[in-house]
Amino acid sequence: MKVHYLGAPYASRAHSLCDDMVRSIRAEHLANVKENYVDIAYTALVCEHGSVFEGRGTHRRTGANGSQALNEQDYAVCALLGSKGMTVPTDAMLNGLVDAIEWLRRSGDAGNWVGGHRDGYATACPGDQLYAWVEQGAKRPAGVKTPTPPPGIYVVRAQDTIAAIARRLNVSWQELAVVNGIKAPYTIYPEQQLHVPGKPVLEIPPFPGEDAFVIGRRHPAVVELDACLIAKGFTRNHDGNGYQKGPLFTEYTRRNVADFQRATAELRSDPDGYPGPLTWKLLHS
């Protein structure tokens, strides 16, 4: 993956305007007759507030890395950061860049290497400040982590408004306010958790203990485990008749759990196929 910046003056803005900025970049690219772009050039874009906007998405050649070979080789993740004006990435932006990188590894088969646009192509991109972060390992800022809300919960971000959240969730802002007991002047706060109208907050069953997941042993929790694996699509290992729910923890079960662990950033370091409390929680999320 290669990290980019805009390479033009850019000013900090309210979060409600960031999606407009992404759309304007796409329109500019599509209007570029010389480059003849088929879509926005970047795989993804990240704003100063930490939101990741999908561009071309996974498994598609980019148009931003400088040559056909480089575009085929690397995804392109662009920070909404300028060569003048706003030139220093915020912690939220760095956190969002890591979110984008982990998404591309999880869903786009991206490798471990992360570089800057200037790696392999003569350019100042992604700017000295951002490139220094890339050279230091492209890590999350200290103390910053991505919240993982349970299903049916939305965590308010910096600069969010209730109207913007409602548009994002495809619900009416009036219903969102009523469900969460928010009254005029409809004040919300970063990190506040909002219930999404029409979506029940699912309770995760208690972890049954590691003894429930022993190869060759039957346990009711394995049926629940199998249901989660099937719902998430981790079923490629089976006896030839497709993967089915059942109380028996088999080697096929273990391999499918390992596939889920390898595909999940929080679990990738130890994909042994045996569910622990975190694997159990994330399978239900």
Side-chain angles (χ1 to χ4, degrees), residues 227-253:
C228 292
L229 290 170
I230 292 170
K232 290 185 177 294
F234 292 92
T235 60
R236 71 185 181 100
N237 301 286
H238 53 78
D239 61 4
N241 294 316
Y243 192 71
Q244 307 290 333
K245 291 191 295 183
L248 181 65
F249 190 85
T250 68
E251 176 62 16
Y252 301 121
T253 313

Short mmCIF file of all heavy atoms in Angstrom, two decimals, residues 227-253:
data_model
loop_
_atom_site.label_atom_id
_atom_site.label_comp_id
_atom_site.label_asym_id
_atom_site.label_seq_id
_atom_site.Cartn_x
_atom_site.Cartn_y
_atom_site.Cartn_z
N ALA A 227 -22.81 -21.10 13.85
CA ALA A 227 -23.77 -20.13 13.30
C ALA A 227 -23.07 -18.82 12.96
O ALA A 227 -23.34 -18.20 11.93
CB ALA A 227 -24.91 -19.89 14.29
N CYS A 228 -22.15 -18.40 13.83
CA CYS A 228 -21.40 -17.16 13.57
C CYS A 228 -20.47 -17.33 12.37
O CYS A 228 -20.35 -16.41 11.54
CB CYS A 228 -20.59 -16.78 14.81
SG CYS A 228 -21.58 -16.27 16.23
N LEU A 229 -19.79 -18.46 12.28
CA LEU A 229 -18.89 -18.70 11.15
C LEU A 229 -19.66 -18.71 9.83
O LEU A 229 -19.22 -18.13 8.84
CB LEU A 229 -18.16 -20.03 11.34
CG LEU A 229 -17.12 -20.10 12.45
CD1 LEU A 229 -16.66 -21.54 12.68
CD2 LEU A 229 -15.91 -19.21 12.12
N ILE A 230 -20.81 -19.34 9.83
CA ILE A 230 -21.63 -19.40 8.61
C ILE A 230 -22.14 -18.01 8.25
O ILE A 230 -22.11 -17.60 7.09
CB ILE A 230 -22.80 -20.38 8.81
CG1 ILE A 230 -22.27 -21.82 8.91
CG2 ILE A 230 -23.81 -20.27 7.67
CD1 ILE A 230 -23.30 -22.84 9.35
N ALA A 231 -22.58 -17.24 9.26
CA ALA A 231 -23.10 -15.89 9.00
C ALA A 231 -22.03 -14.98 8.42
O ALA A 231 -22.31 -14.11 7.60
CB ALA A 231 -23.65 -15.30 10.30
N LYS A 232 -20.76 -15.18 8.84
CA LYS A 232 -19.67 -14.33 8.36
C LYS A 232 -18.98 -14.91 7.13
O LYS A 232 -18.07 -14.29 6.58
CB LYS A 232 -18.67 -14.09 9.49
CG LYS A 232 -19.21 -13.20 10.60
CD LYS A 232 -18.15 -12.87 11.63
CE LYS A 232 -18.68 -11.92 12.69
NZ LYS A 232 -19.00 -10.60 12.15
N GLY A 233 -19.38 -16.10 6.72
CA GLY A 233 -18.84 -16.67 5.48
C GLY A 233 -17.54 -17.43 5.60
O GLY A 233 -16.88 -17.69 4.60
N PHE A 234 -17.17 -17.81 6.81
CA PHE A 234 -15.92 -18.56 7.00
C PHE A 234 -16.25 -20.05 7.07
O PHE A 234 -16.31 -20.66 8.14
CB PHE A 234 -15.19 -18.08 8.26
CG PHE A 234 -14.65 -16.69 8.13
CD1 PHE A 234 -15.41 -15.60 8.53
CD2 PHE A 234 -13.41 -16.45 7.56
CE1 PHE A 234 -14.92 -14.31 8.39
CE2 PHE A 234 -12.92 -15.17 7.41
CZ PHE A 234 -13.68 -14.10 7.83
N THR A 235 -16.45 -20.65 5.90
CA THR A 235 -16.95 -22.03 5.81
C THR A 235 -16.23 -22.86 4.75
O THR A 235 -16.74 -23.89 4.32
CB THR A 235 -18.46 -22.01 5.47
OG1 THR A 235 -18.64 -21.34 4.21
CG2 THR A 235 -19.26 -21.30 6.54
N ARG A 236 -15.04 -22.44 4.35
CA ARG A 236 -14.40 -23.13 3.21
C ARG A 236 -13.90 -24.53 3.59
O ARG A 236 -13.69 -25.38 2.71
CB ARG A 236 -13.25 -22.30 2.65
CG ARG A 236 -12.02 -22.19 3.52
CD ARG A 236 -11.00 -21.23 2.92
NE ARG A 236 -9.79 -21.12 3.74
CZ ARG A 236 -8.65 -21.75 3.47
NH1 ARG A 236 -8.57 -22.54 2.41
NH2 ARG A 236 -7.60 -21.60 4.25
N ASN A 237 -13.70 -24.80 4.87
CA ASN A 237 -13.22 -26.11 5.30
C ASN A 237 -14.40 -26.97 5.74
O ASN A 237 -15.14 -26.60 6.66
CB ASN A 237 -12.22 -25.95 6.46
CG ASN A 237 -11.02 -25.10 6.07
OD1 ASN A 237 -10.14 -25.55 5.35
ND2 ASN A 237 -10.97 -23.86 6.56
N HIS A 238 -14.59 -28.10 5.08
CA HIS A 238 -15.69 -28.99 5.43
C HIS A 238 -15.40 -30.39 4.89
O HIS A 238 -14.38 -30.62 4.23
CB HIS A 238 -17.02 -28.46 4.90
CG HIS A 238 -17.01 -28.15 3.43
ND1 HIS A 238 -17.12 -29.12 2.45
CD2 HIS A 238 -16.89 -26.97 2.78
CE1 HIS A 238 -17.08 -28.57 1.26
NE2 HIS A 238 -16.93 -27.25 1.41
N ASP A 239 -16.31 -31.33 5.14
CA ASP A 239 -16.08 -32.73 4.78
C ASP A 239 -16.52 -33.08 3.37
O ASP A 239 -16.54 -34.25 2.99
CB ASP A 239 -16.78 -33.65 5.79
CG ASP A 239 -18.29 -33.43 5.81
OD1 ASP A 239 -18.80 -32.63 4.99
OD2 ASP A 239 -18.96 -34.07 6.65
N GLY A 240 -16.88 -32.07 2.58
CA GLY A 240 -17.33 -32.31 1.21
C GLY A 240 -18.80 -32.07 1.01
O GLY A 240 -19.28 -31.98 -0.13
N ASN A 241 -19.55 -31.95 2.11
CA ASN A 241 -20.99 -31.72 2.03
C ASN A 241 -21.38 -30.32 2.48
O ASN A 241 -22.53 -30.08 2.85
CB ASN A 241 -21.73 -32.77 2.89
CG ASN A 241 -21.56 -34.16 2.34
OD1 ASN A 241 -21.67 -34.38 1.14
ND2 ASN A 241 -21.29 -35.10 3.23
N GLY A 242 -20.42 -29.41 2.47
CA GLY A 242 -20.70 -28.06 2.95
C GLY A 242 -20.58 -27.99 4.46
O GLY A 242 -20.68 -29.00 5.16
N TYR A 243 -20.34 -26.79 4.96
CA TYR A 243 -20.16 -26.63 6.41
C TYR A 243 -21.52 -26.49 7.07
O TYR A 243 -22.32 -25.63 6.70
CB TYR A 243 -19.29 -25.42 6.69
CG TYR A 243 -18.81 -25.35 8.12
CD1 TYR A 243 -17.86 -26.25 8.59
CD2 TYR A 243 -19.31 -24.40 9.00
CE1 TYR A 243 -17.42 -26.21 9.90
CE2 TYR A 243 -18.88 -24.35 10.31
CZ TYR A 243 -17.93 -25.26 10.76
OH TYR A 243 -17.50 -25.22 12.07
N GLN A 244 -21.78 -27.32 8.06
CA GLN A 244 -23.07 -27.34 8.75
C GLN A 244 -22.89 -27.07 10.24
O GLN A 244 -21.84 -27.37 10.82
CB GLN A 244 -23.74 -28.72 8.56
CG GLN A 244 -23.86 -29.18 7.12
CD GLN A 244 -24.86 -28.37 6.33
OE1 GLN A 244 -25.80 -27.82 6.89
NE2 GLN A 244 -24.64 -28.28 5.02
N LYS A 245 -23.94 -26.53 10.85
CA LYS A 245 -23.92 -26.34 12.30
C LYS A 245 -24.03 -27.69 13.01
O LYS A 245 -24.69 -28.60 12.53
CB LYS A 245 -25.10 -25.46 12.74
CG LYS A 245 -25.00 -24.03 12.33
CD LYS A 245 -26.06 -23.17 13.02
CE LYS A 245 -27.46 -23.57 12.60
NZ LYS A 245 -28.47 -22.69 13.22
N GLY A 246 -23.37 -27.77 14.15
CA GLY A 246 -23.44 -28.97 14.95
C GLY A 246 -22.67 -28.82 16.24
O GLY A 246 -21.84 -27.91 16.37
N PRO A 247 -22.90 -29.66 17.22
CA PRO A 247 -22.25 -29.52 18.53
C PRO A 247 -20.82 -30.04 18.60
O PRO A 247 -20.13 -29.85 19.59
CB PRO A 247 -23.16 -30.33 19.46
CG PRO A 247 -23.72 -31.40 18.56
CD PRO A 247 -23.89 -30.75 17.21
N LEU A 248 -20.34 -30.71 17.53
CA LEU A 248 -19.01 -31.32 17.55
C LEU A 248 -17.96 -30.34 17.04
O LEU A 248 -18.07 -29.81 15.93
CB LEU A 248 -19.01 -32.58 16.69
CG LEU A 248 -17.68 -33.36 16.65
CD1 LEU A 248 -17.34 -33.92 18.02
CD2 LEU A 248 -17.76 -34.49 15.61
N PHE A 249 -16.94 -30.09 17.85
CA PHE A 249 -15.82 -29.24 17.45
C PHE A 249 -14.82 -30.11 16.68
O PHE A 249 -14.15 -30.96 17.26
CB PHE A 249 -15.16 -28.59 18.66
CG PHE A 249 -14.15 -27.52 18.31
CD1 PHE A 249 -14.56 -26.22 18.08
CD2 PHE A 249 -12.80 -27.81 18.20
CE1 PHE A 249 -13.64 -25.22 17.77
CE2 PHE A 249 -11.87 -26.83 17.89
CZ PHE A 249 -12.31 -25.54 17.66
N THR A 250 -14.73 -29.87 15.36
CA THR A 250 -13.88 -30.70 14.50
C THR A 250 -12.67 -29.91 14.03
O THR A 250 -12.56 -28.70 14.26
CB THR A 250 -14.68 -31.17 13.28
OG1 THR A 250 -14.97 -30.03 12.44
CG2 THR A 250 -15.98 -31.85 13.69
N GLU A 251 -11.79 -30.60 13.30
CA GLU A 251 -10.65 -29.93 12.69
C GLU A 251 -11.12 -28.92 11.65
O GLU A 251 -10.50 -27.87 11.46
CB GLU A 251 -9.71 -30.95 12.05
CG GLU A 251 -8.52 -30.36 11.31
CD GLU A 251 -7.57 -29.55 12.19
OE1 GLU A 251 -7.64 -29.68 13.43
OE2 GLU A 251 -6.74 -28.81 11.63
N TYR A 252 -12.26 -29.21 10.98
CA TYR A 252 -12.82 -28.24 10.04
C TYR A 252 -13.25 -26.97 10.77
O TYR A 252 -13.05 -25.86 10.27
CB TYR A 252 -14.01 -28.85 9.30
CG TYR A 252 -13.69 -30.10 8.51
CD1 TYR A 252 -14.35 -31.29 8.78
CD2 TYR A 252 -12.72 -30.08 7.51
CE1 TYR A 252 -14.06 -32.45 8.06
CE2 TYR A 252 -12.42 -31.24 6.78
CZ TYR A 252 -13.10 -32.42 7.07
OH TYR A 252 -12.80 -33.55 6.36
N THR A 253 -13.86 -27.16 11.94
CA THR A 253 -14.26 -26.00 12.75
C THR A 253 -13.04 -25.17 13.09
O THR A 253 -13.03 -23.94 12.93
CB THR A 253 -14.95 -26.46 14.05
OG1 THR A 253 -15.92 -27.45 13.76
CG2 THR A 253 -15.62 -25.27 14.74
#
